[in-house]
Amino acid sequence: MKKLEGKVALVTGGNSGIGLATAKQFIAEGAYVYITGRRQTELDAAVEAIGKNVTAVQSDVSNLADLDRLFATIKQEQGHLDVIFANAGGGEIAPLGSITEEHFDKTFKINVKGVLFTVQKALPLLPEGASIILNASTASTVATPAFSVYSATKAAVRSFARSWILDLKERKIRVNAISPGVVPTPGYNLLGLSDEQVQEFVDSQAVTIPLGRVGTPDEIAKAVVFLASDDSSFVNGIELFVDGGMAQI
Ligand code: NAD
């Protein structure tokens, strides 16, 4: 028996990096998966790479009308949703002193507002026993230079998981946060650094990680499958670090 047999799942930001790897593993475990992203061409490429049991809906998590359209589609096609991986997000480098209003608004709009309204608007579709996984980050607790706004958004995401298990108590819906460590993905090219600077960052981080290396999107996806499935039926409100030990020392 596969771990997500017959389940319907949503992965926001499912056309790249951790989201794409997770969508693939959800499907391999028997789920039907909806992926979202902002650009249709990248969604089309992801659907082609995944192959089957997937539908892409172009949708910006920070746009409430897009979210309404997304959940109307899932309602019409499936009638319910068992698993949400609120994954879409990202950040850019900006040291205190150079933080602009635009940087602040953009980062909070995607990482915090986007996660909140993705989950809230999905609620009418969630049955008892549904599982919600929020993609936070080790940045929720470990500081990185010039990354304070991103880190604050991820601390907010981690906090949502704590609060929402109380708000959803009567419905027996589980909410957990996952906190990846350093996991090179296409998202690293959007940080505002050159390719060389990205490589330097990755190399400098790898030596500080107890396992001596950075992680892969597949390693995060495996942990998300655990939180999505009944294997984690008594796990609720946690922050699961998948970081090679980086945030534990
Ligand atoms: P990525 O850039 O490869 O993937 C991000 C995905 O989010 C893309 O599919 C992108 O299209 C989508 N996205 C961005 N803004 C969106 C929006 N407004 N609406 C809809 N989709 C949007 O990067 P990734 O590294 O796979 O990041 C995925 C998540 O993991 C992010 O929330 C990120 O903060 C978190 N994370 C990543 C790492 C890491 O080291 N890669 C570590 C900790 C946390």
Side-chain angles (χ1 to χ4, degrees):
M1 179 80 175
K2 293 177 176 174
K3 290 180 192 294
L4 299 173
E5 195 71 62
K7 304 274 189 195
V8 180
L10 166 67
V11 179
T12 63
N15 60 7
S16 174
I18 293 169
L20 178 59
T22 303
K24 287 178 179 169
Q25 288 196 25
F26 277 1
I27 292 163
E29 290 295 343
Y32 191 93
V33 176
Y34 286 79
I35 59 169
T36 70
R38 287 162 300 175
R39 286 175 292 277
Q40 192 63 48
T41 44
E42 292 178 20
L43 285 169
D44 291 344
V47 167
E48 191 156 334
I50 294 171
K52 58 173 183 165
N53 293 331
V54 62
T55 296
V57 180
Q58 187 275 328
S59 162
D60 180 335
V61 288
S62 65
N63 180 319
L64 301 192
D66 277 9
L67 290 174
D68 286 337
R69 200 168 35 79
L70 166 66
F71 292 116
T73 302
I74 297 174
K75 183 177 181 187
Q76 191 194 357
E77 294 181 2
Q78 306 286 345
H80 75 286
L81 183 60
D82 301 293
V83 174
I84 301 175
F85 183 32
N87 163 73
E92 288 162 15
I93 298 293
L96 185 63
S98 306
I99 295 169
T100 62
E101 186 178 11
E102 190 199 0
H103 170 77
F104 177 89
D105 287 345
K106 182 180 171 191
T107 317
F108 270 80
K109 211 171 151 185
I110 299 172
N111 293 2
V112 182
K113 179 183 170 187
V115 167
L116 163 55
F117 287 100
T118 296
V119 172
Q120 181 163 284
K121 284 182 177 291
L123 289 180
L125 292 176
L126 301 185
E128 189 168 294
S131 175
I132 299 169
I133 303 106
L134 312 178
N135 203 342
S137 168
T138 47
S140 65
T141 47
V142 176
T144 306
F147 221 32
S148 65
V149 175
Y150 173 85
S151 302
T153 66
K154 294 303 186 178
V157 168
R158 195 279 168 258
S159 175
F160 280 156
R162 288 187 202 283
S163 305
W164 291 347
I165 58 171
L166 295 179
D167 293 350
L168 297 173
K169 188 173 175 225
E170 306 306 327
R171 295 178 59 183
K172 304 193 176 8
I173 293 171
R174 297 185 296 115
V175 187
N176 291 290
I178 188 149
S179 279
V182 181
V183 181
T185 64
Y188 279 37
N189 303 324
L190 308 173
L191 289 167
L193 300 173
S194 67
D195 288 353
E196 235 173 36
Q197 286 172 315
V198 168
Q199 195 54 52
E200 267 171 33
F201 170 75
V202 169
D203 293 344
S204 69
Q205 293 291 302
V207 294
T208 69
I209 297 169
L211 282 182
R213 64 173 179 86
V214 297
T216 66
D218 281 340
E219 290 177 306
I220 309 305
K222 280 190 280 186
V224 182
V225 168
F226 167 70
L227 291 175
S229 75
D230 287 345
D231 283 354
S232 60
S233 55
F234 203 50
V235 178
N236 201 15
I238 70 159
E239 177 173 23
L240 177 56
F241 288 92
V242 188
D243 64 350
M246 191 180 89
Q248 315 310 317
I249 52 175

